[in-house]
Amino acid sequence: MISKSKNASLSTILPVDSFKELTAPASNAAKRLLDCIFEREIDGELVRVRIVETEAYDQTDAASHSYKGRSQRTDIMFGPAGYLYVYFTYGMHYCANVVVGEAGYGAAVLIRAVEPLGNEGLLERRRGGKSGIELTNGPAKLCQALGINKQLNGHNLREAPLRLVLAPQLSSEAIVTTRRVGISQAKDVLWRFYVKDNSFVSVK
DNA sequence: AGCGGGATTTTCT
DNA sequence: GAAAATCCCGCTT
C-alpha cells in the first residue's frame, strides 16, 4: 500500500510516463526511438535488442495505413503512445510499430531493424538457423526472431512480455536520414532514420 | 551482385 | 480483384 506523504510533491510520487516524449509528427518520434531498447520475454528467457532503424508513418502521409482514417485494422494507430501496432503483410509477414502521438492522431513508427544484445541462440532458433545480421536486419525478420505476431497487436509496451525502454536521445550526427523502403506513395518523404555505421541496418 | 518470381492473407476498391 | 510499410531462393552475369 502506498501512503501519501504530507510533504512530498505529487511529481516525486507518481512515475513519469516517458512515452509522452513520443510526440507527433511521427518523424520526431522515429528519431527519438533510435538507440532505445526492447526487452522481450519468450519461452521463459529474456532477450534485449537495440533499435537501429525506424520509419515514420502518420495520418498526414499518403503512405501511412492511417492516412484514410480509422478502420478496424488501423484503430490502434489512433490510440495513445506506447502501444504496439502489428500488421500482417504480403501474405506471410508481420511488422511491428510503436504507436506515437496523442490519442486521436493516427501515427506510428515502423521498427525496421534491431541489434541483438545477447541471447542470440534463441533468436537463431526462431530464425531457422540464420545468424549474424540476418537475425534482425529487416522489419519482418525481427518480428520472426522476437516472436511478434498479431496476438501482440495493441500490447502495452510498459508491460511484459514486451517492454520498450527509452534511452537518451541519440545525437543528430549519429542519425542518417533517407527515403523510406518499399512504398509507392510519398516516395520522396525523408522519414526513414537509422544509426550511422550500424551493420544491422536493412538497406544502406 | 543483381534480377525475377513465389509464398499467401488482409484490406480496400 | 489487386496491391501490399517483405523475404528468400534460384538463375544469370
Side-chain angles (χ1 to χ4, degrees), chain A residues 104-130:
Chain A
Y105 187 82
V109 173
L110 172 66
I111 308 302
R112 283 199 56 89
V114 300
E115 175 179 3
L117 304 172
N119 207 348
E120 297 183 10
L122 174 62
L123 302 177
E124 287 170 6
R125 267 176 273 139
R126 299 198 63 88
R127 286 281 294 135
K130 291 285 194 328

Side-chain angles (χ1 to χ4, degrees), chain A residues 36-38 46-50 115-120 123:
Chain A
C36 295
I37 304 294
F38 277 121
L46 178 66
V47 188
R48 298 175 74 243
V49 299
R50 189 166 78 99
E115 175 179 3
L117 304 172
N119 207 348
E120 297 183 10
L123 302 177

Side-chain angles (χ1 to χ4, degrees), chain A residues 31-136:
Chain A
K31 285 180 277 191
R32 183 67 189 81
L33 283 169
L34 289 176
D35 222 31
C36 295
I37 304 294
F38 277 121
E39 293 181 343
R40 171 66 162 144
E41 292 171 38
I42 187 166
D43 298 338
E45 298 186 71
L46 178 66
V47 188
R48 298 175 74 243
V49 299
R50 189 166 78 99
I51 298 169
V52 299
E53 179 183 351
T54 59
E55 281 179 0
Y57 290 90
D58 81 29
Q59 64 180 34
T60 65
D61 157 37
S64 173
H65 293 167
S66 59
Y67 182 62
K68 293 181 178 173
R70 210 187 266 243
S71 68
Q72 185 171 6
R73 180 204 207 185
T74 63
D75 191 59
I76 186 66
M77 282 186 79
F78 288 83
Y83 289 78
L84 192 70
Y85 168 51
V86 180
Y87 67 86
F88 188 75
T89 194
Y90 291 105
M92 295 194 68
H93 300 301
Y94 295 99
C95 291
N97 302 249
V98 175
V99 175
V100 302
E102 299 286 320
Y105 187 82
V109 173
L110 172 66
I111 308 302
R112 283 199 56 89
V114 300
E115 175 179 3
L117 304 172
N119 207 348
E120 297 183 10
L122 174 62
L123 302 177
E124 287 170 6
R125 267 176 273 139
R126 299 198 63 88
R127 286 281 294 135
K130 291 285 194 328
S131 63
I133 63 172
E134 289 296 320
L135 291 175
T136 54

